[in-house]
């Protein structure tokens, strides 16, 4: 009985993570574009976070820092790395 409940909960979590994946991916792409803009200006990633307003910081913390979105974040990172391979110079 407990194993069925456990498998059901895990399955629902995986399904939810797959549903959330496109949103997490778009957020990651937007974040990387913002980082590139700041890097082009000669600023660091820390400067980017310092210049965010409170609402943007709260959104970022909720999206990236929540354990609820952990699997979706990992999957979005993997998809991003597959679609945007680093070009070595």
């Amino acid at each position: 009985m407990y194993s069925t409940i456990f498998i059901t909960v895990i399955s629902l979590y995986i399904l939810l993570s797959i549903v959330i994946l496109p949103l997490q991916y778009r957020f990651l792409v937007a974040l990387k574009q913002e980082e590139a803009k700041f890097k082009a200006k000669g600023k660091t990633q820390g400067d980017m976070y310092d210049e965010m307003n409170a609402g943007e910081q709260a959104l970022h913390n909720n999206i990236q820092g929540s354990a609820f979105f952990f699997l979706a974040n990992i999957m979005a990172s993997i998809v991003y790395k597959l679609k945007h391979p680093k070009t070595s110079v």
Side-chain angles (χ1 to χ4, degrees):
M1 178 173 151
Y2 289 116
S3 63
T4 306
I5 293 171
F6 179 75
I7 291 172
T8 303
V9 169
I10 294 298
S11 299
L12 288 173
Y13 179 71
I14 291 171
L15 180 63
L16 180 65
S17 295
I18 291 170
V19 170
I20 294 173
L21 177 62
L23 301 172
Q24 293 295 90
Y25 176 76
R26 282 187 227 137
F27 176 78
L28 187 59
V29 168
L31 186 63
K32 295 292 184 180
Q33 289 173 348
E34 243 352 85
E35 287 176 4
K37 286 179 191 176
F38 273 82
K39 192 174 183 180
K41 293 178 185 177
K43 295 184 178 183
T44 65
Q45 186 180 24
D47 294 333
M48 181 182 78
Y49 289 114
D50 288 341
E51 291 183 17
M52 282 184 182
N53 64 36
E56 289 174 330
Q57 286 181 357
L59 176 66
H60 178 75
N61 287 335
N62 287 333
I63 289 177
Q64 292 297 107
S66 175
F68 187 68
F69 299 126
F70 181 72
L71 183 59
N73 287 339
I74 290 175
M75 290 188 309
S77 295
I78 291 170
V79 170
Y80 183 84
K81 286 179 183 180
L82 290 173
K83 286 188 171 187
H84 302 92
K86 277 191 174 180
T87 56
S88 58
V89 175

